[in-house]
């Protein structure tokens, strides 16, 4: 059974704080192993990657077969049904249309002092996308990571996807093709991250690595950070539904379960102004858990981390929501837009009862890679911005330097940085004769 | 003597690669010490911060004196000369004007399927800025970190600045006041970072921590990352000047020295199309090094890491520059704008001989916190974007769900995520039946 919390209860604050700070995931400490793997790949390149792939994925590769060839891709994609292809194409088109609007604009202006200032955005030259193998090999994740990179203008986009025992998901290959991925390597784990970061004879290094993965992949990304850029290290998924009593309990139950079925560490929370509705949702969850395919996982998540919170009004719900800073926030209330305007911290908001969170996982358009573990307080979901970088620009004229140069020289003197000041005053001396 | 490299030499590629990959900084491994300090602050709060400040800064504080009072600030600021104040005010105004243009815009639209999509930016609620004490206590850094936060709309901005033996820099306090900083604490080191991240009875926790610091501060920022957001971990400063022969060698020498004087690990590089000019710059550097106040530091940096590279043409200079991905890039050539258009990777570009890099350190307007160690390939300087985060928005209508819901259900099925699919199909059933 999940927890029931009533805002009116005297122990509410204590229990809510406990809910907020509950440690849901015990990451195994694999850092030493990962350090060894990275060192091995740096030292031996392809040979290390091939040996580690033999060991972990039980397949024998050569430098020539590290990469999945265009023929193999074409052949695998033939297996995809027309319906699956149409759905992936629709998703790719919608994700591309959404992210195309995120391209930031260059700027340039000349100010009153005569200084021309501005900035310019350029794409990362090469990016690598880690795609998990096995159960968590989600074609939707390929679209969500690869499309923003290509919209940003990344010239070279490589994917690594492990193929344990040689098994590969044709939908992952189709998603990569639809997204415009340039290279696909059948490798995984820390060795794949190391190969992308440092390069081998066969795999050219990239500048940025994104994508989800297990503890080894996460530890490897942390270790190569600095050598390359990385995206966030995602924690287990979360959903918060704020609902009034005027909802179908089964719909809300399914929304909660669609996070719970991801992972035993996932967290599904309901805040409602209607205690009876809250109980009805709990009942609906239990009914669905009787038959759900992933009931073992979803049941454990719901039992250990699920909660239903009753509040006196929606303003209280907003205040609690901002403390939770949820990855996904569903607003199933009469006026969801008005309520969303009051929310400050959330990765993604789904407005109204016709917008189940699963729409956002696949096909809505916004990215499904979102900040977890309360990090929506300070970070954002994956976007085109993760694949571009800004160069600032400044150009002084003699007049501009005359106008603001003395101030710079003064500040340099106050910081005892003489050469800084001299680099300005030497020029001013020329200007002033 | 710095290195001279000629692009025509047979060993150029080998020596250039060595220059690119030279390890310039040996960070002491202080991670275990820092972990202990953070644990102590989490366990004992104010008491730990006070004890550590006694130990490292030799001052005795109480919870009431951790914060520098408004009276103390006002009193210290009275010491600032009118000239210094005017220079700081000019810098603050110019930095504010530049960063005000960086505020990203919200977006919302309804697409052909009837889905309303968009995103909204909100500021981080509370941010902390670490300001080093002692020699590296730069008021310009306070402006560069604090102003973007306040432009972003950060509600609460706290500064920590250690005051060893009670000594504080009045210009730092004035810079904080000009930037609109809300709270100033006289603490430093890993204990300050821990207090900002986890909070104490006196210091409320923040959501994001930025600012430069020593190895202890850097290790502490890495450790609290995840609990709060952090900015980049900056390495030693770098400048690359691309210059033709039509420049004053002394000006270019001073530009190179203005990075070299920061730190023995700083790196100053000149790429020129004119070998004679390169030698003239080397001579000018040597002349300046005879009298420069910080000649010991600047001389060591120039000797160990400086280099003058001769190239046959500016296109070759551009290609080398993009491999270096410099933090600061000065283009002292006849048409700097045309040349800058060819550059892909650089933190900040300074165009033309009237734009010494030091202008950008203080007063130009763009931020001086910039990506080092080749990370301009994948990251950007500090900006308003570091203090805001994006919430994506999606709202389906019944018609929109009818249009794209089946695709989502199909993809959920292909990923074996049944509850995801059911959350969509349960709603579609209602609509269709």
């Amino acid at each position: 059974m999940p927890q029931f919390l009533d805002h009116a209860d005297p122990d509410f604050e204590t229990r809510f704080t406990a809910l907020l700070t509950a440690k849901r995931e015990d990451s195994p400490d694999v850092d030493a192993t990962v350090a060894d793997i990275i060192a091995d790949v740096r030292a031996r390149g392809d040979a290390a990657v091939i040996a580690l792939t033999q060991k972990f994925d039980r397949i024998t590769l050569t430098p020539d077969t590290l990469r999945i060839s265009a023929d193999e891709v074409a052949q695998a994609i033939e297996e995809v049904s027309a319906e699956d292809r149409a759905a992936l194409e629709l998703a790719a088109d919608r994700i591309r249309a959404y992210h195309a609007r995120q391209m930031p604009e260059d700027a340039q202006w000349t100010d009153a002092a005569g200084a021309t200032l501005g900035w310019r955005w350029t794409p990362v030259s090469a990016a690598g996308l880690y795609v998990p193998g096995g159960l968590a090999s989600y074609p939707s994740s390929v679209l969500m990571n690869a499309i923003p990179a290509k919209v940003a203008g990344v010239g070279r986009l490589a994917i690594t996807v492990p193929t344990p025992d040689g098994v590969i998901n044709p939908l992952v290959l189709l998603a990569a093709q639809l997204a415009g991925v340039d290279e696909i390597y059948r490798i995984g784990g820390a060795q794949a991250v190391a190969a992308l970061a440092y390069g081998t004879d066969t795999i050219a290094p990239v500048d940025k690595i994104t994508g989800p993965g297990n503890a080894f992949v996460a530890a490897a990304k942390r270790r190569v950070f600095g050598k390359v850029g990385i995206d966030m290290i995602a924690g287990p998924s979360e959903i918060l539904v704020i609902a009034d009593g005027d909802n179908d309990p089964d719909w809300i139950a399914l929304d909660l379960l669609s996070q719970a079925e991801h992972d035993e560490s996932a967290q599904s929370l309901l805040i409602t102004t209607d205690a009876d509705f809250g109980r009805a949702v709990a009942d609906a969850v239990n009914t669905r858990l009787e038959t759900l395919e992933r009931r073992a996982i979803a049941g454990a998540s719901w039992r250990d981390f699920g909660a239903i919170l009753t509040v006196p009004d929606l303003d209280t719900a907003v205040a609690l929501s901002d403390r939770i800073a949820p990855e996904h926030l569903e607003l199933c209330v009469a006026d969801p837009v008005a309520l969303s305007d009051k929310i400050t911290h959330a990765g993604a908001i789904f407005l109204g009862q016709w917008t189940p969170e699963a729409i956002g996982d696949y096909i809505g358009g916004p990215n499904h890679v979102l900040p977890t573990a309360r990090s929506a307080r300070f970070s954002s979901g994956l976007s085109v911005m993760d694949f571009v970088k800004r160069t600032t620009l400044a150009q002084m004229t003699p007049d501009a330097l005359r106008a603001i140069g003395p101030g710079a020289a003064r500040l340099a003197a106050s910081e005892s940085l003489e050469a800084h000041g001299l680099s300005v005053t030497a020029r001013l001396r020329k200007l002033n004769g």
Side-chain angles (χ1 to χ4, degrees), chain A:
Chain A
M1 277 293 287
Q3 294 191 61
F4 283 86
L5 283 74
D6 189 322
H7 192 262
D9 288 345
D11 63 349
F12 177 85
E13 182 57 31
T14 309
R15 292 179 64 201
F16 182 72
T17 304
L19 199 65
L20 269 190
T21 55
K23 190 166 164 57
R24 287 186 281 135
E25 203 181 28
D26 273 320
S27 302
D29 187 1
V30 298
D31 198 49
T33 308
V34 165
D36 289 345
I37 290 173
I38 293 173
D40 192 19
V41 172
R42 288 185 70 176
R44 296 197 297 140
D46 285 338
V49 173
I50 288 168
L52 290 159
T53 303
Q54 174 84 59
K55 178 177 171 187
F56 293 117
D57 298 336
R58 298 162 303 278
I59 54 172
T60 307
L61 300 177
T62 67
D64 286 342
T65 57
L66 280 174
R67 183 166 169 179
I68 301 181
S69 71
D71 281 352
E72 283 177 281
V73 172
Q75 203 175 328
I77 286 176
E78 280 181 21
E79 296 174 30
V80 177
S81 72
E83 291 82 358
D84 280 347
R85 173 184 273 275
L88 261 189
E89 284 174 346
L90 177 62
D93 288 347
R94 293 187 56 85
I95 296 164
R96 192 176 293 113
Y98 183 92
H99 288 79
R101 293 179 181 247
Q102 291 181 327
M103 272 301 286
E105 287 186 12
D106 296 349
Q108 188 178 303
W109 64 94
T110 301
D111 67 18
T116 298
L117 303 173
W119 61 78
R120 206 178 59 194
W121 295 94
T122 45
V124 168
S125 294
L129 162 56
Y130 189 90
V131 181
L135 247 187
S137 172
Y138 295 141
S140 59
S141 281
V142 175
L143 298 181
M144 292 290 181
N145 279 271
I147 289 173
K150 278 296 173 180
V151 168
V154 169
R156 178 180 158 248
L157 180 58
I159 277 187
T160 62
V161 54
T163 60
D165 302 307
V167 176
I168 189 156
N169 182 344
L171 282 167
V172 162
L173 298 186
L174 177 56
Q177 190 183 70
L178 293 175
V181 167
D182 301 290
E183 302 163 13
I184 309 176
Y185 298 96
R186 63 185 109 224
I187 59 176
Q191 59 274 23
V193 175
L196 289 171
Y198 290 96
T200 70
D201 285 345
T202 304
I203 304 170
V206 301
D207 302 304
K208 175 119 189 181
I209 299 176
T210 71
N214 62 16
F216 290 87
V217 172
K221 282 170 67 180
R222 277 187 193 275
R223 281 209 160 249
V224 301
F225 174 56
K227 167 68 182 169
V228 298
I230 63 168
D231 62 342
M232 68 197 84
I233 305 282
S237 195
E238 313 149 6
I239 189 171
L240 168 62
V241 181
I242 298 178
D244 58 27
D246 194 19
N247 279 282
D248 184 327
D250 184 50
W251 296 6
I252 304 302
L254 287 166
D255 297 347
L256 295 169
L257 287 170
S258 71
Q259 292 307 301
E261 74 176 346
H262 268 298
D263 188 337
E264 293 183 3
S265 305
Q267 183 165 53
S268 302
L269 304 175
L270 169 65
I271 300 182
T272 182
T273 47
D274 184 329
D276 289 339
F277 177 75
R279 281 184 291 271
V281 170
D283 291 343
V285 169
N286 289 337
T287 303
R288 287 290 183 177
L289 277 174
E290 287 170 17
T291 58
L292 201 68
E293 285 164 19
R294 295 169 69 96
R295 58 185 172 274
I297 292 170
S301 158
W302 180 239
R303 179 190 68 224
D304 295 341
F305 304 115
I308 294 175
L309 297 81
T310 307
V311 292
D313 50 52
L314 290 176
D315 282 343
T316 307
V318 166
L320 296 179
S321 177
D322 271 346
R323 289 176 64 191
I324 294 166
E327 181 190 12
H328 304 102
L329 175 61
E330 244 184 61
L331 302 180
C332 297
V333 297
D335 189 347
V337 172
L339 194 64
S340 79
D341 285 343
K342 299 181 178 180
I343 298 287
T344 308
H345 306 305
I349 300 181
F350 303 87
L351 296 142
Q353 62 177 344
W354 299 107
T355 318
E357 185 276 330
I359 284 291
D361 283 336
Y362 292 114
I363 213 158
N367 211 286
H368 78 194
V369 181
L370 293 165
T372 58
R374 307 188 60 221
S375 62
R377 292 174 299 124
F378 54 80
S379 64
S380 309
L382 197 71
S383 78
V384 167
M385 302 298 290
D386 290 283
F387 298 98
V388 295
K389 66 270 186 330
R390 184 196 322 98
T391 298
T392 61
L393 302 165
Q395 181 167 25
M396 302 298 127
T397 58
D399 282 347
L401 195 67
R402 259 191 219 103
I404 69 171
R410 183 88 204 176
L411 291 170
S414 80
E415 295 186 354
S416 300
L417 292 172
E418 186 190 11
H420 283 67
L422 287 170
S423 74
V424 175
T425 53
R427 286 164 165 96
L428 289 176
R429 193 166 310 120
K430 168 82 171 251
L431 285 176
N432 298 329

